[in-house]
Amino acid sequence: MENKRSVAKPDGKLAVLIPGLGAVSTTLMAGVELARKGKGHPIGSLTQMGTARLGKRTDGRTVKLNELVPLAELKDVAFGAWDIIREDAYEVAVRSGVLSDKHLEEVKPFLQSIKPKQGVHDPEFVRRIEANHIKATKTHRESIEALRQDIRDFKKELNATRAVMVVCSSVETFRPLPESFKTLAAFEKALDENSPDINPTALYTYAAIKEGVPFANATPNASVDTPALQELAKQESVAVAGRDLKSGQTMMKTVIAPALKARMLGLDGWFSTNILGNRDGEVLDDPAAFKAKEVTKSSVLDTILQPELYPELYKKYAHKVSIHYYPPRGDAKEGWDNIDITGWLGYPMQIKVNFLCRDSILAAPLVLDIALFLDLAKRLEWRGIQEWMSFYFKTPMAQPGLPVEHDLFIQLTKLKNTLRVVAGEDPITHLGLDYYGDDLPLSK
């Protein structure tokens, strides 16, 4: 396939701008700096360690993804952040307790140099944090203008030629989608009226898109998954992706559920519970914030299992998700899953999973990949929903009318095939019939 897409080179520095200077973002920042210093490996990052096969299996061609397409290099990545707490990245990293003292000492001056700009805050959306570093703006329009100026200032301060934004802020309280998010005209009117329906994350989203900055939402908060802001992204020719990182327990669901459907095994029930003790856990201790997380964590099974196609297997399963704030665990989250399944003749069986994971360690490489792929999309002059990045999200977006794909392996195939096509290579279908000649004739 000789049809390589024209893509601008990633010349100069890339500013990765992050609303929310917390455990995930500081773990990312420290990890990138450690990798640059040769003190750590970027494990978990497709852009740094992933490969793609090219051509037939017999060709023996496999390349790293960052060789297949022109991605920004780690040496050219710079970070900026906003937060509602007045702490630099080193103070946050120490408080979060994710990384060892040895690792933190290696990057202490670097982290200390990352000081957040004042964040946009609405206590009705984030109730469990005592904010002490917030903008003095009085209206939504003032907040947006302040954020847009921050983006321009970040690019100057970081000597960056390009920027992307990935939201990693605290989970906001859940609210059903207001009418004001259903069209861009209604959203603009709500901004003018300073509507209480508009959440802080949506203001960051609007500011980024208006500045032409590709945007991704790594949280469950209302953002580019809404019709209004998707309309704005297409209007402004900005690439967007989201929502909510698929890092731990939900990743396991998108691995196990496809296996059940592939083998046509039935599902009676799936009980999931989590205990965690970091700031994310503290915020999620608010039932209204937990509801937002529950929505994204619960959405994957129906899409994968397709109960409308397989009612005998999946029409009536029970699905329960719970999250509990347990301070002793810190960032070492534990997820328990009890899965009640049925096999031949309806006989019951069970799968039990006890996933002792590190929340920010799993999430940090995803944020890096998202940032680098968004920058690639920008240089390709792509706009709107980047469905090929669904691999990274609990609740990925698709064009209206298209069913969303949640199967992790289908998502990975889609991502790699997209990169193959960008590079002028054939997508891989894994059909393989041409290896067997007359043994498997397709026509006579």
Side-chain angles (χ1 to χ4, degrees):
M1 179 179 180
E2 290 297 329
N3 190 20
K4 189 173 183 178
R5 270 47 176 183
S6 175
V7 52
K9 293 181 179 180
D11 294 330
K13 288 195 174 294
L14 172 66
V16 177
L17 307 181
I18 305 179
L21 188 63
V24 171
S25 49
T26 56
T27 301
L28 163 67
M29 294 165 181
V32 167
E33 183 68 0
L34 286 163
R36 289 192 287 222
K37 292 163 67 80
K39 301 289 186 178
H41 297 290
I43 296 171
S45 167
L46 275 179
T47 60
Q48 305 307 304
M49 305 192 79
T51 63
R53 192 191 95 208
L54 305 180
K56 294 184 177 182
R57 280 181 273 170
T58 50
D59 292 345
R61 288 199 299 151
T62 297
V63 300
K64 293 188 70 174
L65 296 185
N66 56 16
E67 297 169 352
L68 180 62
V69 292
L71 299 177
E73 297 182 35
L74 292 190
K75 67 180 180 63
D76 293 324
V77 172
F79 295 104
W82 293 266
D83 205 87
I84 59 175
I85 300 295
R86 191 182 297 107
E87 294 176 320
D88 63 39
Y90 178 74
E91 292 173 301
V92 174
V94 170
R95 173 175 54 74
S96 299
V98 179
L99 301 176
S100 68
D101 291 344
K102 179 182 177 182
H103 273 148
L104 289 177
E105 284 306 306
E106 290 277 2
V107 294
K108 182 176 180 178
F110 169 74
L111 291 178
Q112 287 177 325
S113 72
I114 301 173
K115 304 181 189 302
K117 295 188 185 297
Q118 292 175 331
V120 175
H121 179 56
D122 182 341
E124 289 303 310
F125 282 96
V126 179
R127 301 172 181 171
R128 297 295 173 99
I129 296 177
E130 292 295 327
N132 60 19
H133 191 61
I134 61 178
K135 294 192 182 299
T137 51
K138 301 297 184 184
T139 68
H140 292 327
R141 290 291 186 189
E142 288 178 7
S143 295
I144 287 167
E145 287 308 309
L147 291 172
R148 293 183 68 175
Q149 185 60 51
D150 286 346
I151 292 170
R152 299 178 205 121
D153 291 344
F154 271 131
K155 290 178 71 175
K156 290 178 183 177
E157 294 160 9
L158 299 172
N159 193 29
T161 59
R162 311 176 313 286
V164 298
M165 186 184 293
V166 184
V167 171
C168 296
S169 57
S170 296
V171 178
E172 295 168 348
T173 55
F174 175 78
R175 299 181 183 185
L177 187 67
E179 288 296 319
S180 55
F181 279 80
K182 294 182 179 178
T183 68
L184 181 55
F187 190 82
E188 297 280 9
K189 184 172 183 290
L191 289 177
D192 291 335
E193 295 173 351
N194 211 36
S195 169
D197 289 336
I198 295 182
N199 55 314
T201 300
L203 297 177
Y204 284 100
T205 311
Y206 187 97
I209 292 172
K210 278 293 191 179
E211 284 298 307
V213 172
F215 178 94
N217 179 20
T219 75
N221 306 336
S223 177
V224 286
D225 58 307
T226 61
L229 291 167
Q230 288 176 8
E231 186 180 343
L232 180 67
K234 289 196 74 172
Q235 176 181 294
E236 300 291 330
S237 296
V238 173
V240 294
R243 78 179 180 180
D244 203 2
L245 293 181
K246 181 166 57 189
S247 55
Q249 189 175 59
T250 307
M251 176 190 70
M252 298 302 296
K253 284 185 176 177
T254 61
V255 171
I256 296 171
L260 297 179
K261 190 175 79 169
R263 290 289 302 272
M264 287 288 104
L265 295 171
L267 178 66
D268 285 338
W270 197 312
F271 182 90
S272 299
T273 191
N274 297 261
I275 55 174
L276 69 163
N278 57 15
R279 179 171 284 173
D280 193 27
E282 183 178 5
V283 170
L284 289 171
D285 209 31
D286 178 352
F290 166 71
K291 180 65 177 176
K293 195 76 169 177
E294 182 183 34
V295 168
T296 60
K297 288 176 76 70
S298 301
S299 64
V300 301
L301 289 184
D302 268 3
T303 309
I304 293 173
L305 297 175
Q306 297 176 292
E308 70 282 1
L309 296 182
Y310 307 103
E312 302 95 336
L313 300 175
Y314 308 121
K315 194 65 176 179
K316 297 181 180 179
Y317 68 85
H319 188 198
K320 173 68 176 176
V321 177
S322 63
I323 300 175
H324 304 279
Y325 177 48
Y326 183 58
R329 283 303 165 99
D331 201 64
K333 182 169 72 173
E334 184 165 357
W336 301 318
D337 286 90
N338 177 81
I339 310 160
D340 288 289
I341 66 174
T342 55
W344 187 252
L345 303 178
Y347 281 86
M349 296 175 283
Q350 287 188 343
I351 300 171
K352 294 185 184 294
V353 180
N354 186 12
F355 190 12
L356 286 82
C357 61
R358 295 177 180 269
D359 213 28
S360 299
I361 294 296
L362 289 172
L366 306 188
V367 178
L368 174 63
D369 286 356
I370 290 164
L372 298 188
F373 283 142
L374 280 178
D375 178 54
L376 174 67
K378 171 74 171 180
R379 289 180 284 110
L380 282 163
E381 298 182 353
W382 288 356
R383 65 173 184 165
I385 296 168
Q386 305 298 298
E387 190 189 350
W388 62 281
M389 292 173 61
S390 296
F391 177 77
Y392 295 104
F393 300 103
K394 286 188 180 75
T395 310
M397 301 183 297
Q399 288 284 13
L402 288 179
V404 175
E405 183 56 67
H406 279 285
D407 183 317
L408 186 75
F409 304 105
I410 294 175
Q411 290 174 334
L412 181 60
T413 298
K414 184 179 183 69
L415 187 153
K416 289 189 176 183
N417 273 340
T418 301
L419 300 181
R420 289 183 181 105
V421 171
V422 167
E425 298 283 346
D426 289 323
I428 291 179
T429 65
H430 302 286
L431 185 61
L433 292 181
D434 53 340
Y435 298 120
Y436 294 93
D438 294 337
D439 291 343
L440 301 172
L442 287 174
S443 62
K444 294 184 179 180

